[in-house]
Amino acid sequence: MSSPILQAVGVSKTFGALKAVNEVSFSVNRGEIFGIAGPNGSGKSTLFNLMTGIPFGPSSGQVHFEGTQIDHWPAHRIARSGLCRTFQKDAEFPELSALETVQISAAYNGRLSRKGAASEADKALDLVEMDAARRTMKSHGLSVYEKKQLMIASALVSKPSVLMLDEPASGLTKPEISNLDALLINVNKSGITVLLIEHVLSLLLSVSQRLMVLNQGAVLAEGAPAEVVKDASVIEAYLGGRG
Amino acid sequence: MTPTVKNVALPLICLALLLVVPAVVSDSYTRHLFIIAFIYAIIASNWNLSLGHCGVFNFGHLTFFGVGVYTAAIAAKTLGVSPWISILSGGVTAALAAFIIAAPVARLKGIYVVLVTFAFSQLAMQLVLSQSQITGGAEGMVRIPYLKLGDYSFIRDYKLGYYYAGLALLSVSTLFLIAVTRSPFGKSLTAVRDAEDYAASRGISVSRQRILVLILSAIFTGFAGGFYAIYLRVASPEVFGFGTLSLALSMVLIGGTGTTFGPIVAALALTFATESLAGIRGFEEARFIVIAVAMILVLRVAPGGVLGILDRLLPSARQ
């Protein structure tokens, strides 16, 4: 088995009396697709936030990336080091075009020259198969799917070693989800480790090699997806309610 | 109207018209109004760089102007430095002042930025008032040396030299702003303004960009301050006052935040509009009410400013 590329050691996040993330520990192996599931409010996105320093780090615990402790780093430094994420809600720079959005990510995250950023931006948008005619439009005019494509392209352009995706399939149609499924597998095959939070279980189960389920900020179960979904506590907390 | 027409052809036509104005307008007062309008246009368009493009609610922008005014005045009059060098030194000290103000506000948000930057401008004014042996205190400084090129005094020929010097400064400032806003750095400012967390997740240091934008917005504002002091031959603490600040702010808001040319157009229009109203009996003080009403109307009807209205009327100009 490959060495862990990303590791959380007892990370917690408290907001007043609320423990949104409670002593969570897990490690992600280099090259795998690691799924994270859990009911609404279970702390999945907060876990992503504190691992990427956006907008805050953990209240306690440690995050290690490529063997270095990063939980005290500012968010832009974490991103530049190769731990790149997307957001659950539509994150966009509404006044910038898709091309400009990917270019500034290439320039800052990828530290590329203007020319290099322009060329890599085209490649990244090609990779996510974004319609060429839509690339020069301001982002606020793009569809939900195009915004998701753009968010992934702007993360991939800097060639991160880990890509963290926060519910990329939400709001998408079935054909769009199946395109996303294929894209994730391709991205992973290119050597990028993927962390995936997802509500669409079919996507999560089809692409994840390991799965972790959170409930009320703590780890409920972790292991092979087929095993985890059979776990009685998982069925009760998460899957049971859905039939 | 295509973006090329809007962003290249129209500004070039305006520049060509401004270049020939002295051939048509020979009276010294109208030329004076143009020179003052050029100075305000530099202040407003550079303020727009931090306020409009990066969303930093910097209410201390006029401090950079005031620092430029007093640096040039002290350099030229007290230290005997050439007025040309004095103007340039105004930009340098304004950038330094911006660096000092930027450090504490880089991590603040919204109203706190307004409070800290406004407090800083009041602090600068108090410093000028209290150090009267250097700054002239409330009386200010007068009889500051004027610009010369060889033996040619810029006061001669109905301020012809000052007119072209002011226009040149505005043109270079505008080219600088265009270069900044179109660069990846300029795009990153828009990113920071619109989605801070997303920008940070793409490797952009939000606080660093805020510090840099404040410094960059101060450079030409400081040059404009230096030019103002050398042109009017006066430095007075009024430049830090709320009146100058609100007039410049109205130019940014009426012209349109986030556009390079909007505040320049608004500065030219408002300078002449306020002067025209001042000439009408009964309107001497009411002109400020007119500006306030215009500002409210523009913000209500077209938050994008007057150039936003142009885009609405000519939809093809939109990208």
Side-chain angles (χ1 to χ4, degrees):
Chain A
M1 181 168 286
S2 49
S3 60
I5 190 168
L6 183 65
Q7 206 173 10
V9 184
V11 290
S12 298
K13 185 70 198 176
T14 51
F15 300 102
L18 175 74
K19 271 208 160 182
V21 173
N22 190 4
E23 297 279 328
V24 169
S25 298
F26 68 98
S27 15
V28 180
N29 297 319
R30 194 178 295 274
E32 75 176 337
I33 298 182
F34 187 90
I36 301 175
N40 281 332
S42 59
K44 305 184 297 293
S45 291
T46 309
L47 182 63
F48 261 30
N49 288 344
L50 59 87
M51 291 181 79
T52 52
I54 298 172
F56 39 67
S59 307
S60 61
Q62 295 177 353
V63 179
H64 296 267
F65 175 55
E66 303 264 28
T68 308
Q69 191 178 342
I70 59 161
D71 46 78
H72 55 288
W73 285 8
H76 70 275
R77 189 175 167 198
I78 294 175
R80 285 182 188 180
S81 72
L83 185 60
C84 211
R85 68 172 289 181
T86 66
F87 293 82
Q88 180 184 356
K89 288 181 183 161
D90 283 346
E92 58 174 352
F93 305 132
E95 293 299 314
L96 300 186
S97 68
L99 207 50
E100 288 170 335
T101 300
V102 185
Q103 280 172 359
I104 60 163
S105 180
Y108 283 89
N109 240 359
R111 305 200 177 190
L112 293 175
S113 67
R114 210 166 175 164
K115 202 175 165 186
S119 138
E120 288 302 314
D122 273 325
K123 285 186 204 164
L125 288 166
D126 285 343
L127 184 69
V128 298
E129 297 179 343
M130 187 175 198
D131 187 344
R134 309 279 285 171
R135 295 178 187 183
T136 50
M137 270 183 65
K138 285 187 177 176
S139 303
H140 65 76
L142 299 175
S143 70
V144 173
Y145 181 56
E146 286 167 335
K147 284 179 184 176
K148 302 265 183 192
Q149 285 178 306
L150 174 55
M151 205 162 15
I152 294 172
S154 73
L156 288 177
V157 74
S158 59
K159 301 193 169 37
S161 30
V162 173
L163 176 65
M164 300 171 71
L165 298 162
D166 193 350
E167 300 209 18
S170 66
L172 301 187
T173 61
K174 272 193 175 174
E176 289 167 347
I177 291 173
S178 101
N179 287 344
L180 185 69
D181 190 330
L183 173 66
L184 292 189
I185 287 167
N186 272 340
V187 164
N188 183 239
K189 274 184 185 164
S190 74
I192 297 174
T193 305
V194 177
L195 245 79
L196 176 65
I197 290 178
E198 194 44 75
H199 257 310
V200 177
L201 276 176
S202 57
L203 176 68
L204 202 55
L205 296 176
S206 72
V207 300
S208 303
Q209 285 135 24
R210 281 196 303 141
L211 183 65
M212 176 172 80
V213 178
L214 293 179
N215 190 33
Q216 296 181 345
V219 178
L220 201 59
E222 189 193 324
E227 299 297 319
V228 169
V229 293
K230 286 179 195 161
D231 188 295
S233 59
V234 171
I235 293 168
E236 188 187 335
Y238 181 53
L239 301 169
R242 292 177 170 257
Chain B
M1 190 165 70
T2 64
T4 316
V5 172
K6 186 183 151 197
N7 297 324
V8 181
L10 268 183
L12 283 177
I13 291 168
C14 291
L15 176 63
L17 288 174
L18 287 172
L19 281 170
V20 298
V21 160
V24 186
V25 178
S26 56
D27 78 287
S28 173
Y29 178 65
T30 312
R31 285 185 183 176
H32 164 75
L33 286 185
F34 269 106
I35 296 165
I36 294 296
F38 295 155
I39 292 171
Y40 267 113
I42 296 169
I43 298 171
S45 56
N46 281 277
W47 192 353
N48 184 39
L49 183 65
S50 60
L51 181 68
H53 287 280
C54 195
V56 179
F57 293 110
N58 168 29
F59 271 55
H61 188 73
L62 266 293
T63 312
F64 308 150
F65 180 69
V67 167
V69 166
Y70 274 93
T71 302
I74 294 166
K77 187 172 181 187
T78 314
L79 305 176
V81 176
S82 143
W84 290 101
I85 305 290
S86 300
I87 291 173
L88 295 179
S89 61
V92 175
T93 50
L96 275 174
F99 178 70
I100 294 166
I101 196 174
V105 303
R107 291 175 196 279
L108 296 177
K109 284 183 182 179
I111 188 72
Y112 298 103
V113 178
V114 175
L115 292 174
V116 172
T117 51
F118 189 66
F120 188 84
S121 73
Q122 294 308 296
L123 185 73
M125 184 162 77
Q126 291 307 320
L127 197 67
V128 164
L129 289 172
S130 64
Q131 303 301 311
S132 54
Q133 69 282 15
I134 303 169
T135 61
E139 312 254 308
M141 297 172 76
V142 291
R143 299 181 64 79
I144 295 164
Y146 48 81
L147 278 183
K148 276 187 188 172
L149 204 58
D151 285 336
Y152 181 75
S153 159
F154 274 42
I155 301 172
R156 284 166 53 187
D157 298 327
Y158 306 99
K159 304 177 191 290
L160 185 70
Y162 278 116
Y163 180 92
Y164 282 115
L167 182 58
L169 191 58
L170 173 60
S171 304
V172 177
S173 161
T174 308
L175 287 174
F176 166 77
L177 291 173
I178 291 170
V180 169
T181 52
R182 293 196 179 168
S183 68
F185 170 76
K187 303 295 176 195
S188 79
L189 298 181
T190 313
V192 165
R193 178 195 67 190
D194 291 338
E196 206 177 292
D197 288 344
Y198 188 24
S201 77
R202 295 300 174 258
I204 299 167
S205 167
V206 173
S207 49
R208 185 172 171 271
Q209 304 310 82
R210 285 188 178 145
I211 292 170
L212 286 175
V213 79
L214 284 174
I215 294 171
L216 291 177
S217 74
I219 296 171
F220 274 90
T221 308
F223 290 154
F227 181 68
Y228 178 87
I230 299 294
Y231 166 59
L232 289 180
R233 307 186 64 197
V234 170
S236 107
E238 278 172 25
V239 292
F240 295 101
F242 201 73
T244 324
L245 182 137
S246 55
L247 183 60
L249 182 62
S250 65
M251 290 166 178
V252 178
L253 296 179
I254 291 174
T257 52
T259 66
T260 303
F261 296 111
I264 296 172
V265 172
L268 290 167
L270 284 181
T271 305
F272 281 91
T274 53
E275 282 304 315
S276 313
L277 289 171
I280 301 170
R281 188 178 291 182
F283 262 93
E284 293 88 348
E285 296 304 319
R287 57 190 166 147
F288 299 111
I289 298 174
V290 173
I291 291 178
V293 171
M295 193 156 73
I296 292 166
L297 279 178
V298 167
L299 288 175
R300 190 77 190 86
V301 178
V306 284
L307 288 197
I309 297 173
L310 194 70
D311 273 0
R312 281 192 200 180
L313 294 175
L314 303 159
S316 61
R318 282 188 203 169
Q319 274 188 295

